[in-house]
Amino acid sequence: MQRRYLSVAAAAMAASMTLTLTGCGSGSGDGDVTLKLIAADYGDSKANGSQHYWDELTRAFEKKNPGIKVDVQVYSWKDVDKKVEDLVKDGHAPDLAQIGAYADYAAKGKLYSADQLLSIPTQANFQPSLAEAGEYQRIQYGMPFGASTRRLFYNKKLFARAGITTPPQSWSDIAHDAQLLKARGVKMPYALPLGPEETQAETLMWMLSGGGGYTDSIGKYRIDSPENIKTFDWLKDNLVGKGLTGTDPAKLNRQDAFQGFANGDVGMLNGHPTLMKQAAAKGIDYGTVELPGIDGKAKTTMGVADWMMAFKQNGHRAEAGKFLDFVYSNKNVEKFSGDYGLLPVTTSATQDMLADDKYAELHGFLKQLANAEFYPANKTSWPLVSKTVKAKMGAAVGPEGNPAGVLTDIQNTADEADNATG
């Protein structure tokens, strides 16, 4: 999909405006409206769960807007998407949902578009790549909430023991370094989590590093492209087949791979910013670099965004818009990002974080965000395709695996789903 960016002039003009779009985000709050928000939990324990963040934020908002109450219910990522789906099916859609996908609800006409909700400066402040990723049929319905990019993490201590002086920059470097790590007794020289938890993410990272991806430049699925087939043939033959992943990738989940890295058992793996905190808590001396590609650094990396959306059912457009303008203020975006190790979704908060040495470890991830590639979340077929990838890609690189056959099977499923959903 061709990227469409706001011009500098338009962005500057938008940022200077204080008026909202006609009828958007300008509700007075009269009538004591209670907004219902279903949100995902980003914490790794009850002590730092997202409920604390939302409780503090809503108290501050309600103090400034006495006519609007906000009732936030936080669910685990395992449950939150299904919770919203069930509420919508039962005719009790929340006013707002902060979950993993928006396209199906947008396609069914259930959501307000971003420009019906947000003030112009707020909408113009989203990172352009994230705003575009939130579009369905060129209209933004998904408002990015949390974001991350991916880099290769490596254990400096294990690298030094194996005599490796520089981190890998290419696939051949990965294979060479993994051999050295294996010779030094490292349990998992390269962790390749293609287990069912987040197979679609590891798959996309490797596709991108090989010059492919899930879709082409116009948004059509190209899962069985020559580039993707070459990538997974290489993984099967040069990492998995040579025992350099330490375990069957089809049985390794991301969370277990991250825990292995934090325990000092993994030499290198692809990871996102939250792994930094997990590794540092266990005293791991680590480094990060851009994803290695076929002959050098990959041209791009994977970006992931979670989405805020507003449902039409209860008719609280103005109140929801006013609340969302508050949610996306610099102070609140920076606090959420800092609390949970994620990247800010707005341009101004990103600039603030890049200028602050306190966030130096995040700078590499931040600089990649503008050009990152995202899941094709704007396609209503994507949930089925993602589920199919989770079920099949791990076995594709196993001893009896057939990457070309598996990728073709997934492509056929994607084409059927695309044709069915339009």
Side-chain angles (χ1 to χ4, degrees):
M1 182 182 294
Q2 183 179 6
R3 286 207 167 93
R4 293 173 288 114
Y5 296 95
L6 288 170
S7 70
V8 173
M13 181 175 67
S16 69
M17 295 180 70
T18 58
L19 294 176
T20 62
L21 293 172
T22 304
C24 302
S26 58
S28 66
D30 294 340
D32 293 328
V33 165
T34 297
L35 297 173
K36 301 286 187 180
L37 166 62
I38 304 293
D41 194 352
Y42 290 84
D44 54 19
S45 68
K46 190 172 182 179
N48 73 341
S50 295
Q51 192 71 56
H52 297 291
Y53 171 80
W54 287 113
D55 287 348
E56 183 177 336
L57 184 146
T58 55
R59 279 196 299 269
F61 174 77
E62 289 170 359
K63 186 175 180 180
K64 291 184 176 181
N65 299 273
I68 308 173
K69 302 293 183 184
V70 186
D71 175 19
V72 183
Q73 297 177 17
V74 174
Y75 294 85
S76 72
W77 273 109
K78 179 169 63 76
D79 300 321
V80 68
D81 290 278
K82 185 65 164 56
K83 177 65 178 177
V84 173
E85 180 184 345
D86 289 345
L87 287 170
V88 173
K89 282 182 179 177
D90 292 342
H92 301 294
D95 296 288
L96 298 157
Q98 183 267 300
I99 51 177
Y102 66 87
D104 191 49
Y105 300 122
K108 293 175 180 175
K110 294 183 179 297
L111 301 180
Y112 291 118
S113 59
D115 62 355
Q116 292 176 310
L117 294 157
L118 303 173
S119 66
I120 292 174
T122 298
Q123 188 179 9
N125 197 25
F126 286 131
Q127 285 268 19
S129 61
L130 291 170
E132 184 184 8
E135 292 180 354
Y136 174 73
Q137 296 185 344
R138 297 189 175 272
I139 298 173
Q140 186 183 359
Y141 294 94
M143 292 160 280
F145 189 71
S148 65
T149 59
R150 300 297 191 266
R151 290 169 69 83
L152 180 84
F153 283 69
Y154 63 98
N155 183 312
K156 291 183 176 180
K157 184 176 181 179
L158 295 181
F159 267 51
R161 284 180 179 174
I164 306 168
T165 57
T166 57
Q169 295 189 11
S170 67
W171 288 0
S172 59
D173 291 343
I174 287 177
H176 177 262
D177 294 349
Q179 288 281 12
L180 295 176
L181 291 164
K182 182 181 180 182
R184 292 293 297 180
V186 175
K187 291 181 181 179
M188 204 173 290
Y190 188 95
L192 185 65
L194 290 173
E197 181 187 359
E198 205 180 34
T199 327
Q200 80 283 4
E202 191 72 17
T203 296
L204 179 55
M205 281 181 267
W206 278 97
M207 285 177 169
L208 293 172
S209 72
Y214 283 122
T215 58
D216 62 18
S217 60
I218 60 172
K220 288 186 65 67
Y221 284 115
R222 289 289 286 122
I223 294 167
D224 62 348
S225 69
E227 294 85 356
N228 291 342
I229 292 172
K230 180 180 179 180
T231 294
F232 286 93
D233 280 341
W234 186 90
L235 280 173
K236 180 179 185 294
D237 295 340
N238 294 279
L239 288 187
V240 183
K242 294 182 178 179
L244 300 179
T245 58
T247 189
D248 180 358
K251 297 178 181 177
L252 181 66
N253 283 321
R254 176 189 57 79
Q255 185 174 353
D256 296 327
F258 278 20
Q259 189 59 54
F261 188 80
N263 290 340
D265 295 330
V266 172
M268 50 186 158
L269 80 169
N270 294 331
H272 52 67
T274 57
L275 180 56
M276 296 190 300
K277 186 176 180 181
Q278 191 173 347
K282 291 291 193 76
I284 299 297
D285 186 13
Y286 66 88
T288 74
V289 292
E290 295 173 48
L291 297 186
I294 299 176
D295 299 314
K297 293 178 182 178
K299 292 181 174 61
T300 188
T301 188
M302 183 181 81
V304 173
D306 304 319
W307 303 102
M308 179 73 77
M309 61 211 71
F311 288 87
K312 294 178 178 179
Q313 182 177 321
N314 301 318
H316 296 153
R317 182 178 71 160
E319 293 83 2
K322 179 170 281 192
F323 177 64
L324 290 172
D325 277 343
F326 186 78
V327 167
Y328 287 108
S329 67
N330 260 22
K331 175 184 175 182
N332 290 324
V333 170
E334 290 178 25
K335 177 170 174 50
F336 176 79
S337 302
D339 284 355
Y340 297 105
L342 293 167
L343 305 183
V345 298
T346 62
T347 300
S348 57
T350 297
Q351 291 169 345
D352 288 350
M353 199 169 273
L354 284 171
D356 191 338
D357 289 341
K358 180 173 69 174
Y359 300 108
E361 287 190 321
L362 280 174
H363 289 175
F365 294 91
L366 278 165
K367 290 173 182 176
Q368 297 179 149
L369 187 58
N371 294 313
E373 295 287 339
F374 296 84
Y375 298 134
N378 60 330
K379 298 170 79 70
T380 57
S381 56
W382 170 242
L384 175 61
V385 174
S386 176
K387 182 179 179 180
T388 307
V389 170
K390 289 181 179 183
K392 296 186 175 183
M393 277 313 302
V397 298
E400 306 301 321
N402 176 9
V406 169
L407 289 167
T408 298
D409 284 347
I410 299 172
Q411 177 70 40
N412 290 338
T413 298
D415 287 339
E416 289 174 12
D418 240 7
N419 292 334
T421 57

